[in-house]
Amino acid sequence: MSALDFGRAISKSLCTLYLFTHNDILTTIIPTTLFALVSAPLYSPYRCVHVVWWIWLHLLHFNVANQVIDPAEDGRNKASRPIPAGYISLRDAVYLRWSLVPICSVSSAFYSIQVLSASLAITLLTLWYNEFKAHSHWFSKNLMTGLGYACFQAGATLIAGRDMSRLEPNALLAVLLSIAMFATTLQAQDFKDQEGDRFIGRRTLPIAHPSPARVSMFIGLPMWSICLTQVWRMDAYCSVAFVLYSGLIGLRFMVCKTTQADRLSCQLYSVSHTLICVTSA
């Protein structure tokens, strides 16, 4: 193999890894990183690189595991993902999925036993979510995803802080609030994917209970915003702006019901999620 061919192969591999995670930069990597940097607080700027790397590596693990389960869903909902787009074969993706388990564990063990514990928890939740079909029902899907986010936040916060063996009390409270908030509002990401979810028989909340699902967003987002402003004692101006923004997003889910509208509402929810993560921290 020539140097040029080798370079092209490396470039294609890196591009494929990026494509597995690029849709979650706004929904996972940015909010979790900000959460960790604020709640730790950050011990040194150098740790920021470690935080982003750890989050991205574990996100790659989860996404590859998720996308090898049912490529047919991605072919209908998200055809640009690596497997349906032909960047990687299903067999190679399965190899990648299981090779990432020891890679994530060994990488985490270099930081602390506690970070390794967060990594192993993500591995178990990933197995439960995908191979054991927790994603097929809205209750288990929301619960597992909320717990998964908490593990991401806990591991990233430990890496960012001075002491990688313990979380500060405020950081622990922020993680617990994040579990509850995300587990009760995760359906924001499911409205736009209803066609593909119906195709594979997945009963997300928007499919099982369409009207209550939208009402839950209208009530849940401002409710959590009010709760967080009180818990963290935000000033009046920030509190009002925060609650108004969340309320408008909740109202949008109630009023705008097309797939395209739900896609934009989900993006706005991701911004709200980022703000909530930073506020929680």
Side-chain angles (χ1 to χ4, degrees), residues 32 35-41 47 51 54 151-164 166-168 171-172 175:
T32 308
F35 179 96
L37 300 185
V38 173
S39 63
R47 290 279 182 87
V51 169
W54 190 87
C151 293
F152 272 89
Q153 292 172 338
T157 303
L158 286 167
I159 293 171
R162 177 184 295 273
D163 184 354
M164 295 190 193
R166 62 183 294 271
L167 290 174
E168 297 296 327
L172 181 58
V175 169

Side-chain angles (χ1 to χ4, degrees), residues 80-99:
S80 62
R81 282 182 167 180
I83 297 174
Y87 285 93
I88 186 173
S89 68
L90 178 59
R91 185 188 66 175
D92 289 343
V94 171
Y95 289 153
L96 175 62
R97 181 257 187 274
W98 291 108
S99 67

Side-chain angles (χ1 to χ4, degrees), residues 45-254:
Y46 182 64
R47 290 279 182 87
C48 186
V49 178
H50 290 265
V51 169
V52 174
W53 160 253
W54 190 87
I55 295 170
W56 177 83
L57 183 64
H58 287 76
L59 178 63
L60 176 65
H61 169 211
F62 175 82
N63 283 1
V64 174
N66 179 253
Q67 292 175 36
V68 300
I69 291 297
D70 199 334
E73 178 197 359
D74 288 341
R76 295 176 65 88
N77 268 353
K78 299 159 186 172
S80 62
R81 282 182 167 180
I83 297 174
Y87 285 93
I88 186 173
S89 68
L90 178 59
R91 185 188 66 175
D92 289 343
V94 171
Y95 289 153
L96 175 62
R97 181 257 187 274
W98 291 108
S99 67
L100 283 167
V101 173
I103 292 173
C104 288
S105 297
V106 172
S107 298
S108 300
F110 280 108
Y111 295 110
S112 70
I113 294 298
Q114 288 72 21
V115 176
L116 173 60
S117 298
S119 177
L120 293 175
I122 291 173
T123 297
L124 292 175
L125 289 170
T126 297
L127 186 68
W128 192 353
Y129 185 92
N130 293 298
E131 278 76 10
F132 289 96
K133 306 295 184 182
H135 63 81
S136 62
H137 190 273
W138 64 267
F139 181 80
S140 55
K141 182 178 188 289
N142 285 25
L143 178 61
M144 291 300 100
T145 306
L147 292 172
Y149 260 93
C151 293
F152 272 89
Q153 292 172 338
T157 303
L158 286 167
I159 293 171
R162 177 184 295 273
D163 184 354
M164 295 190 193
S165 65
R166 62 183 294 271
L167 290 174
E168 297 296 327
N170 281 348
L172 181 58
L173 175 60
V175 169
L176 295 175
L177 287 172
S178 184
I179 294 175
M181 184 278 299
F182 201 71
T184 53
T185 61
L186 175 69
Q187 57 270 21
Q189 299 181 2
D190 295 328
F191 289 103
K192 60 182 173 55
D193 295 331
Q194 292 182 67
E195 180 183 353
D197 289 337
R198 283 194 181 94
F199 176 73
I200 65 170
R202 178 182 290 161
R203 288 183 57 80
T204 59
L205 192 58
I207 292 175
H209 307 286
S211 296
R214 293 191 181 274
V215 172
S216 71
M217 298 306 300
F218 179 64
I219 296 175
L221 287 179
M223 181 197 73
W224 276 115
S225 299
I226 293 171
C227 174
L228 292 174
T229 59
Q230 295 301 307
V231 170
W232 303 118
R233 299 180 181 180
M234 295 172 62
D235 66 71
Y237 293 108
C238 290
S239 296
V240 170
F242 190 30
V243 173
L244 281 177
Y245 179 75
S246 298
L248 288 173
I249 297 173
L251 180 63
R252 181 181 170 83
F253 275 108
M254 285 283 293

